[in-house]
Amino acid sequence: VSGLHAAGVRGEVAEGRPAERAAAHLQREDRRDVHGSRGMHPRVFVDAVRQYCARNNVSVELGAQGWVIIMQRGSQRQLAFGYDLGLNSAVAHRIANDKAATSEVLQLGNIPCIPHTLFLNPSLYEYVPPQRSWERMLRLIMDHPAGLVVKPNDGTSGKSVQKVLTESDLELAAHRIFASNQSLAISPYVEIKQEIRVVLLDDEPIVAYSKQRPSVVGDGKRSVLELALAGTRPAKRSGV
């Protein structure tokens, strides 16, 4: 759950076979370098994989311009695709990437969360029954005078996430998202102080981290980019 607000705690569950435990440890180490950013530069992830594997006698091969990583030690092989280390089942992975589905699974488990309502792109009505989506959207905005958050249902990094307060804002946000997405999710806007994410391995929390939004204070002389570079360690500047 991401965007302008998020469920207070997000869990990521991994199975515990030896090769996967090594991958989970890699994921934990890599997060130390990237949490707080909106996204991870591909080179940062690949370099972290190589460094970990070099320390642990694991061979590394890259494919698809670094998006496919093959790690092998003896007869054990572990694959990574993009930033996914393959620690969860395919079903868990797909649910976690679907905001509305994640919300419903959490509610079924009596786990507090921010509810997300799914709306399909009207272009899909050729394949599914019409849902009278606009009427449902209007009921949501009437029920939540503090505002709604409209976002792609499977988006990430805050892309196309919009807070809306009026019907016209809602219509424009939905139109923009549906122009390039098959579905969107709407949730009530909630003020939060901090977003904390927790990584679990075999139901045991092994690391927790929070996002820290970068900021700079102007001095009347330097540009925002110059100020950002001045306040960023050289090793981190690839993401600025």
Side-chain angles (χ1 to χ4, degrees), residues 19-208:
E20 292 176 338
R21 282 184 176 276
H25 182 71
L26 162 66
Q27 193 170 29
R28 180 171 71 247
E29 288 196 345
D30 186 59
R31 284 175 184 269
R32 293 173 184 167
D33 292 333
V34 301
H35 57 74
S37 65
R38 290 188 60 186
M40 187 189 306
H41 192 281
R43 180 55 52 187
V44 173
F45 183 78
V46 173
D47 286 347
V49 171
R50 284 175 165 161
Q51 292 169 16
Y52 175 84
C53 291
R55 293 195 302 268
N56 291 274
N57 193 31
V58 177
S59 66
V60 178
E61 293 183 26
L62 302 180
Q65 299 181 347
W67 284 97
V68 174
I69 305 176
I70 305 170
M71 298 164 279
Q72 186 159 352
R73 181 168 56 191
S75 61
Q76 288 186 306
R77 175 178 290 184
Q78 180 74 25
L79 303 178
F81 180 75
Y83 308 133
D84 180 14
L85 292 166
L87 298 177
N88 298 296
S89 71
V91 172
H93 182 270
R94 294 195 66 177
I95 290 174
N97 283 329
D98 185 302
K99 295 177 175 63
T102 297
S103 172
E104 291 194 22
V105 168
L106 292 174
Q107 292 178 69
L108 289 171
N110 295 319
I111 299 173
C113 68
I114 305 262
H116 283 63
T117 304
L118 173 68
F119 294 91
L120 297 179
N121 193 312
S123 65
L124 297 177
Y125 289 169
E126 180 181 353
Y127 311 102
V128 297
Q131 300 181 330
R132 306 179 72 88
S133 295
W134 182 239
E135 293 179 13
R136 295 165 58 215
M137 290 182 185
L138 291 179
R139 284 199 297 271
L140 283 173
I141 202 165
M142 288 188 291
D143 291 341
H144 298 91
L148 299 173
V149 178
V150 186
K151 63 191 81 171
N153 188 48
D154 58 355
T156 185
S157 302
K159 184 177 180 180
S160 300
V161 176
Q162 301 175 64
K163 179 184 177 183
V164 301
L165 293 169
T166 66
E167 292 183 15
S168 58
D169 289 342
L170 176 59
E171 183 178 12
L172 181 59
H175 177 76
R176 287 174 174 172
I177 293 173
F178 280 148
S180 56
N181 295 271
Q182 295 298 318
S183 60
L184 63 78
I186 296 181
S187 59
Y189 176 77
V190 178
E191 290 280 358
I192 66 167
K193 295 182 178 180
Q194 191 176 34
E195 176 183 340
I196 299 174
R197 298 189 176 190
V198 179
V199 180
L200 304 176
L201 181 62
D202 292 338
D203 296 325
E204 178 184 352
I206 58 175
V207 64

